Amino acid sequence: MEDDELTSQEVRHSRKIACVLRHHPEQIGIQLDKHGWADVREMLQALAAHGTECSMQELERIVLYNDKKRVAFNEDKTKIRARQGHSIPVDVELKKAVPPAVLYHGTIEPNRMSIEEKGLLPMNRLYVHLSPNIETAKRVAGRRQKKGPILIYEVDAKAMLRDGCTFFLSENGVWLTQMVKPVYLKALESMACCHHDFKK
Ligand code: HQG
């Protein structure tokens, strides 16, 4: 195994930490400040008290090497937060940015009707997550493929921008926006070729 590859224990711990920092700090009895930061020492102690023994050294490896750079330290490594993906209302000081003309969203067929009626909604998170390319959108959708064939939408980010929508770019390359109205969405039907049971 390469040094920059997380062990399976580190991957498990990294998932737990992302979940605590994005959704459930109360699960281990800690609080985040309004910018989503947790105190590193307090978090490690609280994790240990709840059965997840993670050393500072391991945490540093998780921050550096987790596949999607989900969590980040402050400058002196006394605080830690998730870069994006929260369901709890914190302001992680996302940077506004001008997106490429087209972005993508990966989901699954069973969501199609609702998405095409209501648009893309943040559901349990603070923002809708959009991908810069089809490959990434396919990976995002792939997380749910047990529940249905994948469905990729092209998002007309250029038109959204023109119409006054705001976009944020998280430091790990995920595009975020409040919602995407159906008018800006186009399903990429060619994705269907990969799935024999698509739209029978
Ligand atoms: C769907 C992972 C019905 C939406 C990924 C998605 C991403 C609707 C699900 C990040 C809907 C929400 C986020 C509507 C949206 N009706 N379904 N109107 N609007 N949906 O997990 O984009 O590994 O909150 O299509 O890589 O799947 O955690 O969003 O299927 O970047 O770092 O509702 O999570 O990153 O699911 O994934 P999610 P997502 P991490």
Side-chain angles (χ1 to χ4, degrees):
M1 179 180 291
E2 302 289 327
D3 276 354
D4 61 358
E5 209 177 305
L6 296 185
T7 64
S8 57
Q9 173 178 296
E10 287 167 341
V11 170
R12 252 193 345 271
H13 290 178
S14 116
R15 290 210 180 107
K16 172 80 189 174
I17 288 165
C19 175
V20 163
L21 294 176
R22 283 169 164 177
H23 311 295
H24 296 298
E26 80 290 348
Q27 233 174 41
I28 61 163
I30 62 166
Q31 283 187 345
L32 310 183
D33 73 12
K34 66 176 179 183
H35 295 304
W37 294 109
D39 182 87
V40 168
R41 215 177 323 154
E42 189 188 324
M43 184 187 79
L44 291 179
Q45 276 169 6
L47 281 169
H50 288 79
T52 302
E53 290 280 352
C54 178
S55 65
M56 184 63 186
Q57 198 188 7
E58 186 185 329
L59 187 61
E60 286 182 359
R61 283 179 44 79
I62 287 171
V63 170
L64 260 180
Y65 301 129
N66 99 75
D67 56 344
K68 291 180 67 188
K69 304 267 180 288
R70 291 180 182 88
V71 293
F73 284 126
N74 67 343
E75 252 171 47
D76 63 4
K77 300 188 183 171
T78 54
K79 295 197 271 182
I80 188 165
R81 71 179 172 190
R83 291 181 193 271
Q84 37 65 223
H86 298 77
S87 55
I88 44 179
V90 292
D91 169 15
V92 291
E93 303 152 295
L94 289 165
K95 294 189 185 69
K96 268 193 198 176
V98 175
V102 176
L103 288 168
Y104 300 89
H105 180 83
T107 187
I108 46 169
E109 272 298 321
N111 295 337
R112 181 194 281 258
M113 233 171 40
S114 169
I115 288 175
E116 292 181 7
E117 184 190 330
K118 300 182 195 142
L120 288 174
L121 303 176
M123 308 306 275
N124 290 327
R125 304 191 196 242
L126 300 181
Y127 297 98
V128 169
H129 289 226
L130 301 173
S131 307
N133 52 54
I134 295 182
E135 281 319 303
T136 310
K138 277 188 187 167
R139 268 202 300 280
V140 173
R143 288 152 56 238
R144 302 182 194 285
Q145 65 188 354
K146 278 195 192 138
K147 295 191 178 153
I150 70 164
L151 168 62
I152 306 296
Y153 283 103
E154 208 175 77
V155 175
D156 190 347
K158 190 174 169 190
M160 287 179 68
L161 199 65
R162 181 198 63 209
D163 297 345
C165 302
T166 305
F167 289 85
F168 302 93
L169 178 58
S170 77
E171 281 161 28
N172 55 351
V174 179
W175 286 90
L176 305 159
T177 194
Q178 222 81 55
M179 75 155 301
V180 181
K181 290 187 190 155
V183 62
Y184 303 120
L185 291 170
K186 189 171 109 193
L188 294 182
E189 304 299 343
S190 60
M191 297 294 139
C193 327
C194 325
H195 300 282
H196 301 299
D197 57 349
F198 197 91
K199 266 187 132 187
K200 258 183 208 157

